[in-house]
């Protein structure tokens, strides 16, 4: 026999009655049903009777994305969609949008603040929760953004948190210096009130150097020359 879940999140089984399955995963629903039905159908325990739970038609939910999003608006998504799925559908944060501060609002309250860097750098999706109907996702503007180039393992544009120092950005986000890095040649171009200025940062000062939004950091590389090479040419055996 096949049984469908009704609008109240329950299925009604003859000789057993209603069983609430709303909010459960497939595995949780299967475990619950097997536990309840074994009392009436002992064959489930011996293996003579089988229980199969599967998803047929998946309902849709409506989610609204506001703030610094490439395509803000209301989206119709699968009820199995997560926060990251909604961001993907909207094109993600805009040019001024933050990857670090993305709020999920539910029933007028902030439920969680999602940080895409947790996933991109650490594979952490603990805050990438399932969405519900009428959820609102708000992408804030970025606070601190800097350009990191040169001899680092991952040169890119990074969004830092307020108060982070340059050493943290290089080690935490850029995965550290490249093998060819000249750690004593780190240069920063910074926007000031009247124009640009150039700053040099010593390696032992990295953890004390506060970054500023729009900083452009370049880590120099060791020159491609030999310190101890001698070339022997002409009429010689070796």
């Amino acid at each position: 026999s096949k049984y469908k879940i009704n609008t109240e999140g329950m299925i009604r089984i003859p000789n057993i009655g209603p069983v609430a399955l709303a909010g459960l995963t497939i595995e949780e629903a299967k475990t619950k049903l097997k536990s309840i039905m074994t009392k009436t159908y002992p064959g489930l325990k011996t293996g003579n009777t089988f229980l199969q739970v599967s998803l047929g038609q998946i309902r849709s939910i409506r989610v609204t994305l506001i703030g610094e999003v490439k395509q803000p608006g209301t989206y119709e998504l699968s009820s199995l969609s997560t926060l990251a799925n909604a961001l993907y559908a909207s094109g993600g944060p805009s040019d001024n949008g933050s990857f670090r501060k993305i709020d999920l609002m539910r029933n007028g309250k902030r439920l969680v603040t999602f940080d895409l860097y947790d996933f991109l750098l650490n594979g952490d999706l603990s805050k990438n929760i399932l969405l519900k109907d009428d959820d609102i996702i708000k992408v804030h503007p970025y606070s601190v953004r800097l350009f990191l180039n040169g001899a680092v393992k991952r040169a890119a544009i990074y969004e830092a948190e307020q108060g982070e120092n340059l050493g943290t950005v290089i080690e935490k986000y850029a995965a550290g210096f490249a093998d060819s890095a000249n750690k004593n040649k780190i240069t920063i171009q910074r926007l000031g009130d009247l124009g640009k200025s150039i700053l040099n940062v010593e390696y032992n000062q990295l953890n004390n150097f506060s970054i500023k939004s729009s900083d452009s950091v370049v880590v120099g590389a060791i020159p491609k020359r030999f310190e101890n090479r001698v070339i022997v040419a002409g009429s010689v055996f070796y």
Side-chain angles (χ1 to χ4, degrees), residues 2 7 17 25 31 34 40 76 80 97 107 162 169-170 207 234:
K2 291 183 180 180
T7 55
T25 65
T31 301
K34 191 170 184 178
T40 307
E76 189 168 307
L80 300 178
N107 299 325
Q162 290 284 359
V169 171
I170 292 175
N207 292 332

Side-chain angles (χ1 to χ4, degrees), residues 43 66 73 77 87 92 146-147 152 155-156 159 166 173 178 188 190 232:
I66 60 174
L77 304 172
L87 288 171
L146 74 157
F147 305 84
V152 290
E159 184 182 342
L166 184 54
Y173 303 142
I188 297 175
R190 175 169 288 181
V232 180

Side-chain angles (χ1 to χ4, degrees), residues 137-170:
I137 298 169
K138 181 180 180 181
V139 179
H140 291 260
Y142 73 85
S143 296
V144 179
R145 183 183 286 171
L146 74 157
F147 305 84
L148 186 56
N149 298 298
V152 290
K153 291 179 181 174
R154 286 198 296 251
I157 300 173
Y158 289 105
E159 184 182 342
E161 295 180 328
Q162 290 284 359
E164 283 188 318
N165 58 62
L166 184 54
T168 299
V169 171
I170 292 175

Side-chain angles (χ1 to χ4, degrees), residues 5-11 19-23:
I5 297 178
N6 61 22
T7 55
E8 297 173 347
M10 295 184 178
I11 61 171
V19 181
L21 299 178

Side-chain angles (χ1 to χ4, degrees), residues 17 19 23 29 70 89 93 99 103-104 142 158-160 177 180 204 232:
V19 181
K70 285 185 178 178
F99 279 67
D103 289 341
L104 174 59
Y142 73 85
Y158 289 105
E159 184 182 342
F177 292 98
S180 61
N204 58 9
V232 180

Side-chain angles (χ1 to χ4, degrees), residues 82-238:
T82 64
L83 214 160
N85 296 141
L87 288 171
Y88 180 80
S90 68
S94 65
D95 291 340
N96 292 322
S98 172
F99 279 67
R100 314 295 307 272
K101 195 174 181 183
I102 302 169
D103 289 341
L104 174 59
M105 313 293 292
R106 184 172 292 170
N107 299 325
K109 295 180 180 180
R110 185 177 65 187
L111 187 66
V112 69
T113 297
F114 182 57
D115 185 347
L116 267 170
Y117 274 31
D118 287 341
F119 170 62
L120 296 173
L121 298 177
N122 305 315
D124 181 5
L125 283 173
S126 59
K127 294 184 179 178
N128 184 34
I129 61 178
L130 282 171
L131 299 174
K132 290 189 176 181
D133 205 28
D134 295 328
D135 276 353
I136 296 175
I137 298 169
K138 181 180 180 181
V139 179
H140 291 260
Y142 73 85
S143 296
V144 179
R145 183 183 286 171
L146 74 157
F147 305 84
L148 186 56
N149 298 298
V152 290
K153 291 179 181 174
R154 286 198 296 251
I157 300 173
Y158 289 105
E159 184 182 342
E161 295 180 328
Q162 290 284 359
E164 283 188 318
N165 58 62
L166 184 54
T168 299
V169 171
I170 292 175
E171 291 299 326
K172 183 178 177 181
Y173 303 142
F177 292 98
D179 294 338
S180 61
N182 183 350
K183 299 176 183 178
N184 293 315
K185 188 171 177 55
I186 301 172
T187 306
I188 297 175
Q189 288 188 27
R190 175 169 288 181
L191 289 175
D193 295 333
L194 301 176
K196 287 185 177 181
S197 59
I198 295 179
L199 307 171
N200 294 315
V201 184
E202 298 291 334
Y203 175 70
N204 58 9
Q205 293 297 315
L206 283 178
N207 292 332
N208 298 319
F209 187 86
S210 297
I211 53 178
K212 188 178 178 182
S213 193
S214 79
D215 277 353
S216 182
V217 183
V218 179
V219 178
I222 297 170
K224 294 181 180 180
R225 62 181 179 84
F226 290 92
E227 294 179 343
N228 59 350
R229 182 175 67 171
V230 176
I231 298 175
V232 180
S235 300
V236 292
F237 283 108
Y238 300 107

